[in-house]
Amino acid sequence: MSASSSAGLRRMTKAHKMSIAGVATLGTAALAFSLVPGNAGEAQAVTAAPVAVQQVVAAAQTKNVADHVAVQQAFAVKQAKAKADADAKAKAAKAAKAKAEAAAKKARATKEAASRSAARTPVFANNLDGWIKEALFIMKKEGIPGTYQGIHKNIMRESSGNPRAINNWDINAQNGIPSKGLLQVIYPTFKAYHVKGTKFDQYDPVANIVAACNYAADRYGSMDNVNSAY
C-alpha cells in the first residue's frame, strides 16, 4: 500500500463512516423484508406459527404430566397390592402357627393325661383277690355299686372261684345258653350288661364280675343284695 493510500484512509471523515453504517442497516432491513410474505394471510400465518408451537409444547407437557401421574398411580396400586398380599400371607402364617401350637398343646395335654391315668391305674394280681379288686376299680368309675365282700360271697357260691366254671345241667343249659364264669352269667345277660373297656368274653374273670354286678345293680340294687341264684 502506498503512502498516499494510507493517508487517504486516515482522512476518512465521520460522514463517510455513517454512510457505510447506513448501507449495512438498509441491507439488513431489506433481507428482513424479503422474508416477510407479500400478502396479509401469509403474514398472519407467520405470526401464528410461534403460537402453534407453544400449543404443541404445552400439549406435550400436559401429556407428560398425565403419563407421569398415571405411572405413579399404577405404582401406588402395585405397592398397595403387594402390601395386602404380604399382610395376608403374614396373617395366614400366624394363624397356621397358632393352630399348630394349639394342636401341639392339646397333644401334650392328652399325653400328660394318659400318663397320669396310667400312673393312677394300679397293677392287680392275676388271682381271685386281684380280679375282684380290678372289677371294683372299674365299677367305681362306671358308677356300679358293690363291695368286695358281696362279690366274693357270690363268687364262692356260684363257681368256688373257678373262672372256667360252666353249668351244663340247669334250665339255661337245657335251653342251650349255659351259665359261665365266676358269677355264672348266661350269654344274653353278659352281652346286655357288658361294660365297655372290659374283654367281651364270658370266661374273662374281670369282665364276668363287672357284667354280673351291672346286672345285679339293675335288678337287685347291688350284688351285695344277692344271696342265692339270680
Side-chain angles (χ1 to χ4, degrees), residues 121-197:
T121 303
V123 177
F124 301 99
N126 188 27
N127 54 33
L128 181 58
D129 179 71
W131 298 333
I132 295 174
K133 288 179 179 178
E134 185 174 356
L136 286 168
F137 180 81
I138 296 171
M139 289 164 60
K140 183 177 181 180
K141 291 194 297 183
E142 298 295 329
I144 301 171
T147 64
Y148 186 99
Q149 292 75 16
I151 294 171
H152 187 272
K153 174 189 67 176
N154 281 285
I155 287 176
M156 297 310 294
R157 185 186 68 251
E158 294 292 337
S159 66
S160 299
N162 177 13
R164 304 297 300 180
I166 181 171
N167 186 325
N168 288 316
W169 58 86
D170 65 6
I171 188 63
N172 290 322
Q174 293 173 22
N175 291 331
I177 48 171
S179 302
K180 298 178 181 180
L182 289 176
L183 284 169
Q184 293 292 283
V185 183
I186 61 175
Y187 180 76
T189 300
F190 178 81
K191 181 179 179 181
Y193 289 93
H194 171 260
V195 174
K196 185 178 180 180

Side-chain angles (χ1 to χ4, degrees), residues 4 12 21 35 49 53 69 77 99 128 140 142 144 163 200 211 218:
S4 60
M12 185 178 290
L35 293 176
V53 171
V69 171
V77 170
K99 184 177 180 180
L128 181 58
K140 183 177 181 180
E142 298 295 329
I144 301 171
F200 197 85
D218 185 43

Side-chain angles (χ1 to χ4, degrees), residues 68-82:
H68 182 67
V69 171
V71 169
Q72 286 184 323
Q73 289 177 339
F75 182 71
V77 170
K78 186 176 180 181
Q79 280 189 319
K81 185 177 184 302

